[in-house]
């Protein structure tokens, strides 16, 4: 979460674009890449993107232990899930892989704390009440850190990142539309500057 505080959330439909997309994002300064398991080629895309120098590739939309095992076998260095289940948390512990599960309310966070977790994705961030909702949760759970995702854009990312409980943000805006390497690199560069990526 602190390595590079803007995480592109990627839905790879065309495997041949996996490497060029990763190269463009890394060239622009975004090195932590989340590949969602929402497409048939997602697992292969994780393998391809992991070959790109400087890329730190993980899996998103991990819904159960089987997804997690497939993602880890493909080389995922971290796991993101839209929600928090005991099954996914246990599988992450078993595979010794960092897990960023989604939370939407205080009860979710408390279940996460019970499982030994303190870093969560706040999802879906905008639909869940946006920054006011996160501020209210952060005031109660002082040591918890969040990665808001869902509705984050280049227009509001800086505002989220300015909150001390927000360690990073995630979003699909970096690769939205038809793939154009120059456009992706330029969006990544802007986002990296916003987030002071090293
Ligand atoms: O399913 C998951 O595990 C996810 O990672 C969900 C994504 O974070 C959001 O769908 C991204 O939301 P947008 O940036 O608004 O497109």
């Amino acid at each position: 979460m602190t390595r590079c505080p803007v995480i592109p959330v990627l839905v790879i439909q065309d495997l041949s674009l996996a490497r060029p997309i990763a190269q463009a994002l890394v060239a622009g300064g975004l090195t932590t890449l989340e590949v969602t398991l929402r497409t048939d080629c997602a697992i292969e895309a994780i393998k391809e993107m992991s070959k790109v120098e400087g890329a730190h590739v993980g899996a998103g939309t991990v819904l159960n232990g089987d997804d997690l095992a497939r993602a880890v076998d493909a080389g995922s260095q971290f796991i993101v899930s839209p929600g928090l289940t005991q099954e996914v948390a246990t599988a992450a512990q078993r595979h010794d892989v960092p897990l960023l599960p989604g939370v939407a309310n205080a009860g979710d966070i408390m279940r996460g704390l019970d499982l030994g977790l303190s870093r969560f994705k706040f999802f879906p961030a905008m639909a869940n009440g946006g920054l006011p909702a996160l501020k209210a949760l952060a005031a109660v759970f002082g040591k918890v850190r969040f990665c808001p995702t869902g509705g984050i854009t280049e227009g509001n990312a800086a505002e989220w990142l300015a909150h001390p409980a927000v360690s990073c943000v995630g979003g699909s805006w970096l690769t939205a539309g038809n793939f154009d390497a120059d456009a992706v690199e330029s969006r990544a560069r802007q986002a990296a500057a916003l987030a002071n990526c090293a």
Side-chain angles (χ1 to χ4, degrees), residues 4 8 19-33 52-56 179 181-193 197-198:
C4 183
R19 275 227 231 184
I21 287 173
Q23 281 160 345
L25 290 164
V26 170
L30 300 185
T31 54
T32 303
L33 313 178
V52 173
E53 200 181 334
H56 189 73
F179 175 65
D182 290 341
V184 169
E185 184 177 330
S186 146
R187 264 179 253 157
R189 203 173 295 287
Q190 282 170 20
C197 288

Side-chain angles (χ1 to χ4, degrees), residues 88-119:
V88 170
T90 304
Q93 277 167 0
R94 197 168 53 241
H95 287 271
D96 196 22
V97 65
L99 170 67
L100 186 66
V103 295
N105 55 48
D108 290 346
I109 296 170
M110 289 165 69
R111 282 192 300 115
L113 292 171
D114 283 348
L115 290 163
L117 298 163
S118 61
R119 303 289 182 263

Side-chain angles (χ1 to χ4, degrees), residues 153-178:
T153 65
E154 58 201 341
N156 63 18
E159 202 186 345
W160 284 96
L161 285 164
H163 192 282
V166 173
S167 297
C168 64
V169 298
S172 63
W173 86 88
L174 294 138
T175 54
N178 288 335

Side-chain angles (χ1 to χ4, degrees), residues 36 60-61 63 65 71 98 100-101 120 140-141 148 152 162 171 174-176 189 195:
T36 59
T61 325
L63 303 182
L100 186 66
F120 302 102
V140 177
F141 301 102
I152 312 302
L174 294 138
T175 54
R189 203 173 295 287

